[in-house]
Amino acid sequence: MAFLTPSHAIAPLNIHEGMRVADFGTGGGAMAIAAARHVGHSGKVYAIDIQKGLLEKLARHATDLHLSNLEVVWGNIDHSHGSKLAPASVDAVIIANVLFQSEHVGHLVAEAKRILKPHGKALVIDWTDSFGNMGPAHGHVVKESEAKLFFADGGFVFEKNEPAGDHHYSLLFHKP
């Protein structure tokens, strides 16, 4: 399977027309773009990152792709209200390859829970190990078991593991 493709990676969320989706730590926006293609004109994807340069590039790319339903948001997901989204305002949150970068994973989990509607889904994808120049340094890898604990402690209910390529795990949770 090697590396996962964004459209395959977000499939467990069953994103469809009209949904509102947040992509935490969007980076280059691959997951956000895939989600924007599914939510249609009546939906919205919020691509959230702390790096303004990446967001500016993503905004231009979304315009080139005619994705008017993708909104870039400069925010810090490691802080309360850092996503700048309203409480209970999104149906799903994508958290891909950011746990290992987070300085306060508990705050990130709480922010995801705050913005999710009741029964909203959180999809967590992260690295299974350190692979030299790809992914996190060995000491920064957040193991799958640790991720499950972070989200359980944050009040999420674990649903299932999903295939995620040779170098990642994928976990689906929901907000009760």
Side-chain angles (χ1 to χ4, degrees):
M1 182 179 258
F3 279 92
L4 59 121
T5 60
S7 60
H8 180 263
I10 64 170
L13 290 172
N14 295 316
I15 297 171
H16 57 270
E17 180 79 32
M19 287 181 72
R20 295 192 164 309
V21 178
D23 182 12
F24 276 15
T26 196
M31 301 291 180
I33 288 169
R37 289 186 169 131
H38 290 284
V39 300
H41 295 295
S42 63
K44 182 70 97 175
V45 174
Y46 303 96
I48 305 163
D49 208 290
I50 196 166
Q51 298 182 62
K52 286 183 179 179
L54 287 176
L55 291 174
E56 291 166 358
K57 184 176 178 182
L58 176 56
R60 288 190 301 273
H61 188 52
T63 298
D64 291 345
L65 294 173
H66 306 288
L67 294 173
S68 60
N69 58 0
L70 192 152
E71 180 179 328
V72 298
V73 179
W74 179 63
N76 187 342
I77 56 174
D78 272 347
H79 294 284
S80 178
H81 300 273
S83 71
K84 301 181 181 175
L85 300 180
S89 61
V90 299
D91 301 291
V93 177
I94 301 165
I95 305 168
N97 294 327
V98 296
L99 292 183
F100 76 92
Q101 298 177 65
S102 177
E103 294 179 13
H104 305 286
V105 175
H107 294 166
L108 180 154
V109 172
E111 183 62 4
K113 187 175 180 193
R114 183 186 73 78
I115 67 170
L116 274 171
K117 296 175 182 176
H119 309 291
K121 308 278 186 178
L123 180 65
V124 179
I125 301 168
D126 223 303
W127 293 87
T128 56
D129 206 344
S130 179
F131 297 97
N133 291 330
M134 297 185 317
H138 182 70
H140 293 208
V141 173
V142 176
K143 299 289 185 192
E144 182 177 332
S145 58
E146 293 173 294
K148 285 180 179 177
L149 282 175
F150 283 128
F151 281 81
D153 289 348
F156 281 87
V157 176
F158 175 71
E159 288 191 10
K160 60 184 175 177
N161 293 57
E162 289 289 332
D166 295 340
H167 304 290
H168 294 85
Y169 58 85
S170 177
L171 307 170
L172 186 64
F173 298 90
H174 74 265
K175 175 181 173 178

